[in-house]
Amino acid sequence: MVKGYQGYGNTLYSTNSHIMACVKHYALYGAGEAGRDYNTVDMSRNRMFNEYMYPYQAAVDAGVGSVMASFNEIDGVPATANKWLLTDVLRDQWGFQGFVVSDYTGVQEMVDHGIGDLQTVSARAVKAGLDMDMVSEGLPGTLAQSLAEGKVSQQNIDLACRRVLEAKYVLGLFQDPYKFCDLNRAKTEIYTDAHRAVARKIASESFVLLKNEQVLPLKKQGTIAVVGPLANTRSNMVGTWSVAANLSTPATVVEGIQVVAGNQAKVVYAKGSHLISDAAYEERATLFGRSLGRENEPRTDSQLLQEALGIVKDADVIMAALGESSEMSGESSSRSELDIPDVQKELLAELLKTGKPVVLVLFTGRPLTLTWEDANVPAILNVWFGGSEAAYAIGDVLFGDVNPSGKLVATFPQNVGQIPLYYNHKITGRPLEQGRWFEKFRSNYLDVTNEPLYPFDYGLSYTTFTYGDVKLNMNEVTAGGSVTASVTVTNSGNLDGAEVVQLYIRDVVGSITRPIKELKGFEKIFLKAGETKTVEFAITPELLKFYNYDLNYVVEPGDFEVMIGGNSRDVKKAIFTYK
């Protein structure tokens, strides 16, 4: 991604198609207590380096031009003024050469954190390694006074200024300040047919088929009822933080289904329910022009439901467009419950009672608790928020023009009590035996199994893929050497399709406790029906390294378990020894 934004080598920042990438939010922004945005973070440095810091370091290694400090604190010091984070690790340890910017009002917010007034926190920030102050005006507004009082040095100020000016220089802004301000280019390149076609393809490949009891793909015939509060909205299709999007442009799900189905099928629509029974909650969930028209809707949820039941009476199949609105996910959209909202769930239950085939087209920006839906709905397609062409992409997948191949990027829990739940967890001293529900004095729940509803990297297809045994080219490897792991994958179904083959590794014995498995590689392959391919992964020492107790990045001799499969749960295994 960094190279795609910035270019690299001779192409670095060479055209007005290249921009400077910014890595955000550094660091631990996603680890807030209680799952609440901007909240306190408390984490050991060992876990920090082994689970959170790799992506930041990878971006620095790729030559990223800027880094944004996160809002949260680390070891009691907000990231925006954390010298250990911004200088000791980022610059001294990783060799970062670019500039560091605060997040929006991040400098000012340190006053609320309770570490000083604006002048104090601004001085702390620039001495810690912050170069640019976004919005707070603390650096430009107070550093002159701090310099006069000896609270910062001229060197501190000069260094921050130099880094910002160097960024402008490498971008070519001294040579052409208006390099990125070509209005004619915007008119000819934004929202073109070619770009829309790519967006449609990408969206269709991102959808994840969670369940399918021989309902999908649909036939382009008969009467299709599209029901739900998210079925006829344009503004919610593009998802959160689509600040510059024209919210009136995207097609609705109803329109997309009709276009892809063509003239052979009749598409009927009913809203079925409001987004949420609580009007005030719905208002919070549909900010920034994402309203679903409740303010102009005179009908109650009961009346909307009855209308929907009347509409679906003559339908051959029901497509329920339900889930989250776009502003229920993203920044400052934390939820304490992760069910599909109440009235939508009631609508879904009533649609199922009709006895007609029901497909749940699920909109969400996060894992939801779908235990009831998984047990009762015959087909579930998670479409996230697929962008401006999402409606057509949804039709492509529902009707089988595209065979779904997306995989979950997060674990879906059975209920919120299991959270945090993730595939690369540690093993306790009292692990539950695999396949068991409960055993007294073991690490388990009384009321639910330890397993997720859908594991990390899970996703179905309209065809099936069969994995052979994992083969290693050697069972022992000396220090510095590598192992090649291979597996044959066969499309054992009747349709062509794509599969994401995943490599996981477990360090069986370590000087500190190690995760049960870690994703170390993947490859997406396309197989025609009946076709077999062999996929190989090179397991180098770099894939075996971790940060030990002393935070040294090492590979330790011993046994390593290799796992390959189509998700983090269903894998084939082999083992080798690193000497």
Side-chain angles (χ1 to χ4, degrees):
M1 289 183 70
V2 168
K3 291 178 179 178
Y5 285 136
Q6 299 183 168
Y8 56 95
N10 294 332
T11 69
L12 183 65
Y13 305 127
S14 59
T15 72
N16 64 353
S17 294
H18 294 118
I19 60 175
M20 182 170 282
C22 183
V23 175
K24 50 191 290 190
H25 305 77
Y26 179 69
L28 312 186
Y29 189 70
E33 289 184 358
R36 198 172 77 231
D37 276 0
Y38 323 128
N39 203 12
T40 297
V41 173
D42 190 11
M43 181 181 295
S44 71
R45 293 193 177 181
N46 186 279
R47 185 182 186 194
M48 187 188 309
F49 274 88
N50 277 310
E51 297 182 23
Y52 282 83
M53 296 297 246
Y54 287 126
Y56 300 110
Q57 185 175 1
V60 171
D61 290 343
V64 72
S66 62
V67 169
M68 179 180 288
S70 57
F71 286 128
N72 53 276
E73 65 175 73
I74 296 172
D75 288 342
V77 179
T80 311
N82 195 306
K83 180 179 179 296
W84 174 80
L85 185 73
L86 302 185
T87 297
D88 297 352
V89 175
L90 183 62
R91 297 192 184 278
D92 296 344
Q93 184 173 334
W94 295 347
F96 176 64
Q97 299 295 314
F99 76 93
V100 178
V101 60
S102 78
D103 202 343
Y104 194 102
T105 68
V107 173
Q108 173 70 45
E109 290 175 27
M110 291 192 289
V111 177
D112 286 327
H113 273 285
I115 65 168
D117 58 16
L118 184 60
Q119 181 184 351
T120 299
V121 298
S122 299
R124 288 189 62 170
V126 76
K127 289 194 292 185
L130 189 79
D131 305 306
M132 180 183 286
D133 176 353
M134 189 198 295
V135 178
S136 297
E137 303 295 332
L139 268 62
T142 69
L143 288 183
Q145 182 178 350
S146 293
L147 178 64
E149 296 174 355
K151 296 177 179 178
V152 297
S153 67
Q154 186 66 52
Q155 183 182 12
N156 295 142
I157 298 172
D158 289 348
L159 186 57
C161 289
R162 180 183 183 87
R163 288 168 178 160
V164 174
L165 292 173
E166 285 177 340
K168 293 182 178 183
Y169 179 80
V170 298
L171 281 168
L173 296 179
F174 285 116
Q175 183 178 0
D176 180 6
Y178 304 103
K179 176 181 176 181
F180 298 103
C181 302
D182 185 347
L183 296 180
N184 290 325
R185 177 186 171 215
K187 291 177 182 178
T188 57
E189 293 190 16
I190 292 178
Y191 212 62
T192 63
D193 290 344
H195 289 179
R196 292 179 64 186
V198 172
R200 180 171 175 172
K201 181 177 185 292
I202 292 172
S204 68
E205 292 180 354
S206 75
F207 302 157
V208 183
L209 183 62
L210 297 176
K211 183 181 179 183
N212 186 25
E213 294 181 343
Q214 298 182 331
V215 175
L216 297 174
L218 301 177
K219 295 181 180 179
K220 297 178 181 180
Q221 63 185 39
T223 300
I224 302 168
V226 184
V227 179
L230 298 173
N232 199 34
T233 173
R234 302 185 193 282
S235 60
N236 283 267
M237 298 302 290
V238 292
T240 188
W241 268 119
S242 47
V243 180
N246 184 339
L247 299 181
S248 64
T249 301
T252 69
V253 175
V254 177
E255 292 169 341
I257 295 299
Q258 185 65 80
V259 167
V260 178
N263 297 327
Q264 300 294 322
K266 178 183 178 182
V267 177
V268 296
Y269 158 73
K271 185 174 182 179
S273 75
H274 295 301
L275 180 73
I276 305 166
S277 61
D278 184 335
Y281 184 2
E282 179 166 333
E283 184 177 3
R284 295 193 296 273
T286 54
L287 297 173
F288 309 127
R290 313 305 172 96
S291 169
L292 294 169
R294 183 176 190 141
E295 63 276 11
N296 300 316
E297 176 59 74
R299 293 168 295 177
T300 65
D301 281 307
S302 177
Q303 291 171 323
L304 291 170
L305 173 60
Q306 292 307 311
E307 179 196 37
L309 294 178
I311 288 290
V312 305
K313 189 176 299 183
D314 298 323
D316 298 295
V317 63
I318 301 170
M319 203 208 74
L322 308 176
E324 296 186 317
S325 60
S326 64
E327 296 310 309
M328 289 178 74
S329 292
E331 186 172 358
S332 190
S333 295
S334 305
R335 296 179 61 192
S336 63
E337 296 291 342
L338 298 180
D339 290 343
I340 290 177
D342 47 9
V343 285
Q344 294 188 58
K345 202 163 186 173
E346 293 168 11
L347 168 63
L348 183 58
E350 292 301 317
L351 295 176
L352 289 167
K353 288 179 183 178
T354 66
K356 298 178 183 293
V358 176
V359 179
L360 171 57
V361 175
L362 179 70
F363 288 85
T364 180
R366 57 157 63 82
L368 297 180
T369 48
L370 303 170
T371 306
W372 182 88
E373 290 79 3
D374 181 73
N376 292 281
V377 183
I380 304 174
L381 179 68
N382 183 354
V383 298
W384 311 107
F385 291 96
S388 60
E389 305 305 302
Y392 304 116
I394 290 169
D396 291 339
V397 173
L398 289 177
F399 291 109
D401 295 343
V402 174
N403 193 344
S405 59
K407 301 286 186 175
L408 293 179
V409 295
T411 303
F412 276 45
Q414 296 183 61
N415 59 42
V416 294
Q418 291 183 300
I419 298 173
L421 186 67
Y422 42 92
Y423 83 95
N424 54 337
H425 60 83
K426 301 288 190 72
I427 305 174
T428 80
R430 293 190 175 189
L432 182 66
E433 183 181 338
Q434 190 171 2
R436 298 283 304 266
W437 175 314
F438 175 82
E439 184 179 351
K440 194 65 175 177
F441 307 118
R442 291 287 170 178
S443 181
N444 44 218
Y445 300 100
L446 287 168
D447 58 340
V448 67
T449 68
N450 290 353
E451 298 303 310
L453 180 63
Y454 304 120
F456 171 75
D457 255 343
Y458 171 86
L460 302 175
S461 168
Y462 294 152
T463 189
T464 55
F465 298 96
T466 302
Y467 283 72
D469 292 333
V470 176
K471 296 181 180 179
L472 305 176
N473 69 331
M474 60 183 70
N475 296 320
E476 294 184 355
V477 59
T478 56
S482 63
V483 176
T484 298
S486 63
V487 66
T488 59
V489 183
T490 301
N491 183 340
S492 49
N494 299 319
L495 297 174
D496 301 345
E499 170 71 336
V500 181
V501 183
Q502 302 156 35
L503 168 71
Y504 298 86
I505 295 178
R506 177 191 172 196
D507 189 346
V508 178
V509 176
S511 58
I512 61 172
T513 58
R514 303 287 292 122
I516 193 168
K517 60 170 71 82
E518 294 177 291
L519 180 67
K520 293 293 185 178
F522 61 89
E523 183 176 339
K524 190 169 189 176
I525 60 173
F526 181 84
L527 295 174
K528 294 182 178 180
E531 185 181 5
T532 297
K533 284 186 179 179
T534 298
V535 178
E536 294 185 347
F537 295 99
I539 303 174
T540 63
E542 192 66 24
L543 296 187
L544 309 179
K545 288 183 177 180
F546 68 99
Y547 287 92
N548 65 13
Y549 185 81
D550 297 316
L551 295 184
N552 295 317
Y553 194 47
V554 300
V555 53
E556 295 180 346
D559 291 340
F560 290 87
E561 194 171 45
V562 179
M563 293 160 271
I564 302 178
N567 62 68
S568 60
R569 179 189 62 199
D570 303 316
V571 294
K572 296 291 186 73
K573 301 179 181 180
I575 196 166
F576 71 91
T577 302
Y578 186 89
K579 293 187 173 181

